[in-house]
Amino acid sequence: MPVATTGRERNVNSSKTIGRPREFDVDEALDAALVVFWRQGFEGTSLSDLTSAMGINRPALYSAFTSKKKLFMRALERYYAIDAARTFKVVEEPTARRVTEQYLLRSVEQLTNPRRPLGCFVLQSALVCSEENADIAAYMSGQRSMQEDLLRARYARAQKQGDLAADEDPASLARFVCTFRQGLAVMACGGMARTKLKDSVRRMLTGLYGDASAAK
């Protein structure tokens, strides 16, 4: 996954007014851009939307980020570093079952974070794009596949360790879990309550592992 820029960056906003240029906080500007891309999608977001939300003008945007596409990529890095970091750490869980459980439960928390737009940025921001921006849609599809690959590798390791049944298919299991997770994202975007999403996770885990004690 992309690696976020560390530290607090500063940049200069080229101002049309006379006097000293106004500095802006790049992290704060990225957070603002992330929210706009998240709510409106890459193609639905204009440069005016971005400069208004970020509190800068177009010359400053181009100076700091070069283009709308590169700003989008920086916003994606920010998403992974701030919003999705805890979710991806599930691969460190000790068992395959815990990996599945925590991946889905942490996803629900992330998808329903009241401080962010509902749903999943990676799913919503560029699911479908015009031919002009097909590269963005393809890149985001790759990011979704990357999540599946992480789970597949972790399940394969669990199988080698005897923690996952020998007749289980790690790739099929990872695809199933990710498909369910994307369904949670769609329902969260539609406003479904966190409690109901967790109930769906509990039922899924019960069907997969036969244990009703999870997702409480």
Side-chain angles (χ1 to χ4, degrees), residues 143-158:
Q143 294 302 293
R144 294 189 290 275
S145 295
M146 177 268 295
Q147 298 179 30
E148 185 176 319
D149 290 342
L150 284 175
L151 288 179
R152 176 192 52 75
R154 180 62 183 86
Y155 290 143
R157 178 158 58 91

Side-chain angles (χ1 to χ4, degrees), residues 200-213:
S200 294
V201 171
R202 177 185 61 79
R203 288 179 175 275
M204 183 271 209
L205 293 171
T206 299
L208 193 60
Y209 297 105
D211 184 351
S213 64

Side-chain angles (χ1 to χ4, degrees), residues 179-196:
T179 298
F180 185 85
R181 191 267 182 193
Q182 303 300 15
L184 293 173
V186 171
M187 300 307 288
C189 185
M192 182 172 286
R194 178 179 291 185
T195 54
K196 291 183 178 181

Side-chain angles (χ1 to χ4, degrees), residues 135-177:
D135 57 333
I136 293 292
Y139 186 83
M140 297 305 281
S141 177
Q143 294 302 293
R144 294 189 290 275
S145 295
M146 177 268 295
Q147 298 179 30
E148 185 176 319
D149 290 342
L150 284 175
L151 288 179
R152 176 192 52 75
R154 180 62 183 86
Y155 290 143
R157 178 158 58 91
Q159 193 171 54
K160 289 182 180 179
Q161 295 171 340
D163 176 51
L164 193 66
D167 61 351
E168 180 62 271
D169 181 345
S172 179
L173 178 58
R175 183 169 58 252
F176 171 68
V177 172

Side-chain angles (χ1 to χ4, degrees), residues 56-150:
I56 61 177
N57 57 27
R58 289 196 185 195
L61 186 152
Y62 284 121
S63 175
F65 304 107
T66 308
S67 68
K68 176 183 168 182
K69 285 186 178 181
K70 289 188 177 180
L71 172 58
F72 180 81
M73 293 301 182
R74 288 287 299 276
L76 177 63
E77 292 176 0
R78 187 75 173 161
Y79 171 80
Y80 280 128
I82 303 300
D83 295 85
R86 181 170 177 268
T87 300
F88 283 110
K89 285 180 70 67
V90 297
V91 294
E92 300 174 6
E93 292 291 333
T95 65
R97 184 195 180 287
R98 282 282 295 175
V99 168
T100 303
E101 175 190 319
Q102 289 302 305
Y103 176 66
L104 295 175
L105 289 178
R106 293 181 192 184
S107 289
V108 168
E109 293 176 358
Q110 178 190 337
L111 296 168
T112 57
N113 183 349
R115 295 182 297 276
R116 290 294 202 190
L118 295 174
C120 176
F121 176 75
V122 176
L123 181 65
Q124 294 163 213
S125 59
L127 185 61
V128 178
C129 288
S130 64
E131 185 175 348
E132 178 184 3
N133 296 310
D135 57 333
I136 293 292
Y139 186 83
M140 297 305 281
S141 177
Q143 294 302 293
R144 294 189 290 275
S145 295
M146 177 268 295
Q147 298 179 30
E148 185 176 319
D149 290 342
L150 284 175

